[in-house]
Amino acid sequence: MSLSFEGRVVLVTGAGGGLGREYALAFAERGASVIVNDLGTDTKGGGKSSAAADKVVEEIRAKGGKAVANYDSVEDGEKLIQTALDAFGRIDVVVNNAGILRDRSFARTSDLDWDLIQRIHLRGSFLVTRAAWNHMKNQKFGRIIMTASAAGIYGNFGQANYSAAKLGMLGLANTLAIEGRKYNVHCNTIAPVAGSRLTETVMPPDLVASLKPEYVAPLVLWLCHEQCQENGGLFEVGAGWIGKLRWERSQGQIVRKKNKSMTPEAVRDQWDKICDFTDATKPATVQESLQSMVSVLSRMESEDQVGANSTAAAASP
Ligand code: NAI
């Protein structure tokens, strides 16, 4: 059975071009009513125009799809959701995709370079998602996408502001996934790679042409479908390839002894062990993370009688 979005109302932010346009077209093609949001800025966030969103709405309508335009900034989150409610009476899916770049080496990053990036990417995603949240909760269905970036996951020269915002969005998604779970409101994060006006300045033209946005959109559609139970995931996607990421934690090492002060020298002396990923664990929740430390406390308490320092295994959950 093909995946239909008939009856679903989907907001894609920054859908006037690049990846967002592709998502909007793909959702509409499968029956969704789409709010094509775009402020129509340049890549650095300057200027504004209704042309970008209008063009995509026209494209969708020309193919017999349902779409309306919205020209507000994601910083006016409520207005975007109001457009969905006014036009289609509900909101089912939010794809937080709008974005700009203000790349600078860290030393040259101005307050404005920092603030604009946090405002559009992180705060904008917060405001749009919060405006949709209660509607999704009440109807017991919602699908939210956060758009992170490899620059956030791995770091990238000249993108301190952008990296911080993009991984901030992952942190936001991690908690939304927990708070939304029991209401069937799921939130996942993608780190896409695609040729667009954002990447054409850093990628050679043939790569920009080959890395098509249409190789990213199918993941977004799947994650936003009611059949998909994935929640709180992080995916890298591009070139037709999709992979999932997760955290890994070394077994670690206890570096203190009961009733003795813990010293930086002990940390130094155990450094290799602390950083050794042999038999690494993959904690997935705060509870799992904390549990291993609580078990260290009790392990040390009981091992004190024997006078032994802990083993690495003591830190495993
Ligand atoms: P793009 O520049 O083609 O599209 C972004 C759209 O967002 C533009 O149409 C722009 O007008 C709109 N926009 C900017 N500020 C806005 C605001 N305040 N309110 C509403 N709309 C606004 O860029 P692209 O490449 O399609 O990027 C889409 C998302 O994917 C961005 O969040 C970007 O950071 C992210 N991304 C893209 C990668 C790539 O390889 N293209 C890599 C990693 C992340």
Side-chain angles (χ1 to χ4, degrees), residues 43 101 192-205 207-208 211:
T43 54
L101 285 177
V193 174
S196 77
R197 64 178 201 169
L198 279 192
T199 44
E200 69 189 2
T201 51
V202 289
M203 280 184 195
L207 209 53
V208 171
L211 291 168

Side-chain angles (χ1 to χ4, degrees), residues 3-304:
L3 297 170
S4 166
F5 284 88
E6 208 65 54
R8 294 292 182 206
V9 178
V10 177
L11 164 66
V12 182
T13 70
L19 284 162
R21 170 179 168 274
E22 194 61 43
Y23 305 153
L25 292 170
F27 276 115
E29 200 176 294
R30 285 167 183 268
S33 302
V34 181
I35 296 84
V36 177
N37 158 264
D38 207 294
L39 184 59
T41 64
D42 63 29
T43 54
K44 291 188 164 67
K48 65 195 271 188
S49 156
S50 57
D54 281 343
K55 192 151 173 286
V56 175
V57 168
E58 277 162 31
E59 269 184 89
I60 290 173
R61 289 186 181 158
K63 292 179 181 170
K66 302 177 279 293
V68 295
N70 170 281
Y71 318 117
D72 293 305
S73 169
V74 287
E75 292 190 83
D76 291 314
E78 294 280 350
K79 292 188 184 167
L80 276 63
I81 300 304
Q82 198 56 51
T83 300
L85 300 177
D86 291 346
F88 304 116
R90 56 189 287 133
I91 180 72
D92 296 293
V93 172
V94 170
V95 182
N96 290 294
N97 165 80
I100 56 169
L101 285 177
R102 293 180 73 95
D103 293 0
R104 298 263 194 285
S105 64
F106 182 57
R108 293 161 62 95
T109 300
S110 69
D111 288 10
L112 186 64
D113 293 331
W114 179 267
D115 290 345
L116 267 180
I117 290 292
Q118 310 309 316
R119 275 169 44 192
I120 305 308
H121 290 275
L122 182 55
R123 190 159 188 274
S125 300
F126 155 64
L127 291 166
V128 172
T129 304
R130 189 182 59 182
W133 189 255
N134 279 339
H135 299 285
M136 291 178 169
K137 256 176 82 174
N138 292 340
Q139 72 198 10
K140 299 241 171 355
F141 178 81
R143 295 288 184 267
I144 298 158
I145 298 290
M146 295 294 170
T147 307
S149 162
I153 298 170
Y154 306 109
N156 197 25
F157 194 96
Q159 295 198 304
N161 53 356
Y162 182 75
S163 306
K166 286 307 202 185
L167 227 57
M169 290 172 70
L170 175 64
L172 172 59
N174 288 341
T175 290
L176 295 188
I178 292 168
E179 293 193 14
R181 182 171 293 134
K182 72 172 178 209
Y183 304 103
N184 192 21
V185 177
H186 296 172
C187 183
N188 288 286
T189 305
I190 62 163
V193 174
S196 77
R197 64 178 201 169
L198 279 192
T199 44
E200 69 189 2
T201 51
V202 289
M203 280 184 195
D206 56 331
L207 209 53
V208 171
S210 323
L211 291 168
K212 297 186 196 307
E214 65 207 57
Y215 302 150
V216 175
L219 169 64
V220 170
L221 265 72
W222 166 239
L223 290 172
C224 292
H225 197 270
E226 63 200 29
Q227 279 180 25
C228 181
Q229 292 309 305
E230 186 71 35
N231 186 22
L234 170 63
F235 303 88
E236 285 189 273
V237 51
W241 169 90
I242 302 165
K244 185 173 181 179
L245 285 84
R246 66 182 172 193
W247 292 102
E248 210 177 59
R249 185 168 70 178
S250 69
Q251 283 283 334
Q253 180 69 11
I254 299 174
V255 295
R256 76 176 175 93
K257 291 193 170 113
K258 200 183 172 194
N259 300 329
K260 299 239 169 75
S261 55
M262 182 170 160
T263 66
E265 289 77 14
V267 177
R268 175 196 60 198
D269 296 343
Q270 301 289 344
W271 195 242
D272 287 349
K273 278 266 191 205
I274 291 168
C275 299
D276 180 358
F277 276 95
T278 308
D279 298 327
T281 61
K282 292 155 186 92
T285 63
V286 163
Q287 290 74 16
E288 270 181 58
S289 166
L290 183 62
Q291 179 52 42
S292 58
M293 292 184 214
V294 172
S295 74
V296 165
L297 288 178
S298 55
R299 181 72 72 101
M300 289 194 70
E301 202 61 43
S302 59
E303 281 186 3
D304 182 56

